[in-house]
Amino acid sequence: MRKSLGVVAQVTPLSVLPYGVSMQVCPFHADEGIVGVPVGSDGTLSFTCDRTRGHPTPGLHIWVVVPAPPELDGMSGLGAELGLHVELPALISQFGSRWVEFGVVEHAYAHARPDDFAMLVARYSHTAIAASRYTVSAFIARTLGDLSKWGNVLFHDGPATGRWAYNSRISWWSVAPEPDWETARLSWADTGLTMDYVPGSVE
């Protein structure tokens, strides 16, 4: 399921169906709509194409869609300008064959590109500074979700740990080949990291 294609494309906008259910189409099987499954409470949806053939690698293909900020215009341009379609998969691959909790990925990006991360914090803020409707974390998670649709990164829903536990559930990320979920995980709590990578953090 989901081997990197080396290409990046826009995620198809969500089609809102009756009763608020949302649907997308597998990028490798355009003849079948797939209903999203809520992940957490922020509106994030997970989509699974259950066909076992026709994907970049054998098996299911899973991707995630994170809600856009109120000011959607320019989002894809900003991600492209920062090179996130290259930066994020490369950073995740450095963790080897493991599922990595979102906060660890964000921390890695902040250390790899401190100036870019500081710019995003200035633009969107961060929960380590104050509660906010849309944060830099949501921006990065949305970009990862876009990449997961085309297999550039792999997504798994899982428990949130440490300071991220206020979410209950959170995204975990890897790259192909898919690691074993039960035995190959790196959580925020495992790392002992702190929030000092966020400019202005009060944690």
Side-chain angles (χ1 to χ4, degrees):
M1 118 180 109
R2 331 131 154 152
K3 183 179 180 182
S4 174
L5 300 179
V7 298
V8 179
Q10 294 278 343
V11 165
T12 303
L14 291 175
S15 300
V16 180
L17 302 178
Y19 310 110
V21 178
S22 295
M23 174 179 287
Q24 286 205 344
V25 174
C26 175
F28 308 104
H29 296 114
D31 59 337
E32 182 176 354
I34 299 169
V35 176
V37 176
V39 178
S41 59
D42 67 348
T44 296
L45 296 173
S46 173
F47 297 83
T48 302
C49 178
D50 58 9
R51 296 189 186 184
T52 56
R53 295 184 179 181
H55 297 139
T57 56
L60 308 179
H61 183 64
I62 303 173
W63 68 96
V64 64
V65 175
V66 178
E71 67 283 12
L72 178 60
D73 292 344
M75 286 293 293
S76 60
L78 178 58
E81 179 183 340
L82 297 177
L84 295 183
H85 62 292
V86 174
E87 293 284 348
L88 294 177
L91 287 170
I92 293 170
S93 70
Q94 293 176 10
F95 291 98
S97 184
R98 290 188 287 182
W99 289 104
V100 184
E101 189 175 352
F102 171 79
V104 181
V105 177
E106 181 182 271
H107 179 275
Y109 176 67
H111 275 269
R113 293 289 182 265
D115 292 341
D116 291 344
F117 185 75
M119 179 273 291
L120 291 172
V121 171
R123 180 168 180 171
Y124 295 117
S125 192
H126 196 286
T127 55
I129 301 171
S132 178
R133 180 181 175 187
Y134 190 85
T135 65
V136 59
S137 300
F139 174 82
I140 294 173
R142 177 177 171 80
T143 302
L144 286 167
D146 288 358
L147 295 173
S148 74
K149 182 169 185 179
W150 292 92
N152 298 72
V153 296
L154 310 182
F155 160 78
H156 202 294
D157 176 42
T161 70
R163 67 85 55 194
W164 300 92
Y166 67 88
N167 290 296
S168 178
R169 309 289 295 179
I170 202 166
S171 59
W172 292 63
W173 301 95
S174 188
V175 294
E178 181 179 3
D180 179 70
W181 172 248
E182 297 300 328
T183 62
R185 281 186 276 178
L186 179 63
S187 72
W188 175 266
D190 289 338
T191 64
L193 296 171
T194 66
M195 300 306 294
D196 60 1
Y197 69 91
V198 178
S201 172
V202 296
E203 294 186 13

